[in-house]
Amino acid sequence: MGIFAVKTTASQERTVADMIINREEAEIHAALAPDSLTSYVMVEADGDAALNRVLEDIPHAQSIVPGESDISEVEHFLSPKPDVEGIAEGDIIELIAGPFKGEKAQVQRIDEGKDQVTVELYEATVPIPVTVRGDQIRVLDSDER
């Protein structure tokens, strides 16, 4: 059993992965189309022979990259990255959900373990720290850029 990379047409990765899994081939176990990997689908299969048979009937699937991939090469695609990744203290953000939706704020503290950010609202008369989930903000300006 190995992990194979299948070259696909750009923007068709999810479609190809779905079609591979819908074939219900016993020798194919999983297909992964990560958003961060363009034009490729990772497929776990017993061998490339079964995968070649399935790919003959799938549009947008172009070829199998020669050789197998190791699990260490794809495991970073398997764990979700926290929403606060890439956010730094001092960044200017906009709240996109919750009671302060539409407000601009500056990041004061980041708690990656809880996936939360403590921000200070710009428009507030008195600076009040507000803690929000990482998926409720959008970075507008970063000191590192």
Side-chain angles (χ1 to χ4, degrees), residues 29-87:
H29 306 289
L32 175 69
D35 292 334
S36 58
L37 189 61
T38 307
S39 299
Y40 290 94
V41 172
M42 305 306 292
V43 180
E44 182 181 23
D46 289 339
D48 62 352
L51 189 53
N52 272 319
R53 276 195 316 273
V54 168
L55 293 182
E56 287 176 5
D57 302 330
I58 297 180
H60 306 295
Q62 296 174 356
S63 63
I64 299 175
V65 176
E68 291 184 26
S69 297
D70 192 65
I71 187 70
S72 63
E73 295 176 293
V74 295
E75 66 186 351
H76 65 278
F77 294 125
L78 302 176
S79 57
K81 69 176 197 178
D83 291 319
V84 296
E85 190 174 291
I87 298 173

Side-chain angles (χ1 to χ4, degrees), residues 59-120:
H60 306 295
Q62 296 174 356
S63 63
I64 299 175
V65 176
E68 291 184 26
S69 297
D70 192 65
I71 187 70
S72 63
E73 295 176 293
V74 295
E75 66 186 351
H76 65 278
F77 294 125
L78 302 176
S79 57
K81 69 176 197 178
D83 291 319
V84 296
E85 190 174 291
I87 298 173
E89 290 182 15
D91 283 359
I92 309 302
I93 59 100
E94 178 183 5
L95 295 156
I96 57 172
F100 299 107
K101 181 178 180 178
E103 294 285 330
K104 290 179 177 49
Q106 185 172 25
V107 176
Q108 300 298 316
R109 203 169 40 250
I110 301 164
D111 185 344
E112 286 193 19
K114 293 181 180 175
D115 206 21
Q116 293 180 335
V117 179
T118 302
V119 298
E120 203 169 271

